[in-house]
Amino acid sequence: MVHRILRVDHAGEFGANRIYAGQMAVLGRSKIGPLIQQMWDQEKKHLAKFNEILSENRVRPTALLPFWNIAGFVLGASTALLGKEGAMACTVAVEESISEHYNSQIRVLMEKDPERYTELLQVIKEFRDDEMEHHDTGLEHDAESVPGFWLLKNVIQLGCKAAISISERV
């Protein structure tokens, strides 16, 4: 169970880094660039922590990292091509999915043995809070004003759910 949690969380943070890299490739020199960079910097810290935890626990990352590398960048860049609002809509969709996933993991770990998993629970809760902050930032920066927001959000979230399910196992 813990190996699956660590594998999928690492994959999620890896994907988030690639999404922000794609957004920065398109919007990095715009007025929203510094905000995207700030969120990306937090994601870099998340990924570094999960790299460390994977190594400490001898957990292999998902075999799909090369795919998530490309898919994440393409998702970030393509939504950024819709403008600031498109990038923020992507951020809202992804961060909401990740936050819900982290909440599910917190529930599982609390039911299993909260004392045994104290450190992991602390990391997941901290990162979940950062993801929710990114979600709220996206809403504050007009994510919902992109044409087709509801459809875009749901398609991205469907992709996130599939990526989570696959990355836990492969």
Side-chain angles (χ1 to χ4, degrees), residues 147-162:
F149 170 76
W150 182 87
L151 179 62
L152 180 62
K153 179 182 170 198
N154 282 284
V155 167
I156 291 170
Q157 289 183 330
L158 183 63
C160 287
K161 286 178 184 170

Side-chain angles (χ1 to χ4, degrees), residues 113-158:
D113 190 349
E115 289 180 21
R116 179 177 178 193
Y117 301 116
T118 302
E119 200 173 311
L120 180 57
L121 280 162
Q122 183 180 347
V123 168
I124 293 172
K125 287 176 183 177
E126 177 187 334
F127 292 179
R128 184 241 3 238
D129 293 348
D130 289 346
E131 309 305 357
M132 280 311 299
E133 182 182 313
H134 298 171
H135 169 272
D136 295 347
T137 297
L139 290 175
E140 291 165 9
H141 287 85
D142 307 319
E144 294 173 308
S145 70
V146 71
F149 170 76
W150 182 87
L151 179 62
L152 180 62
K153 179 182 170 198
N154 282 284
V155 167
I156 291 170
Q157 289 183 330
L158 183 63

Side-chain angles (χ1 to χ4, degrees), residues 97-115:
S97 294
I98 293 172
S99 297
E100 289 171 4
H101 181 68
Y102 278 156
N103 281 333
S104 296
Q105 290 180 338
I106 291 166
R107 281 190 294 278
V108 166
L109 292 170
M110 291 296 290
E111 289 171 6
K112 289 282 183 194
D113 190 349
E115 289 180 21

Side-chain angles (χ1 to χ4, degrees), residues 43-59:
E43 298 296 347
K44 289 176 183 178
K45 290 177 186 170
H46 295 180
L47 180 58
K49 182 63 177 177
F50 274 113
N51 280 331
E52 177 186 317
I53 295 171
L54 281 185
S55 178
E56 289 171 355
N57 290 277
R58 297 177 184 250
V59 176

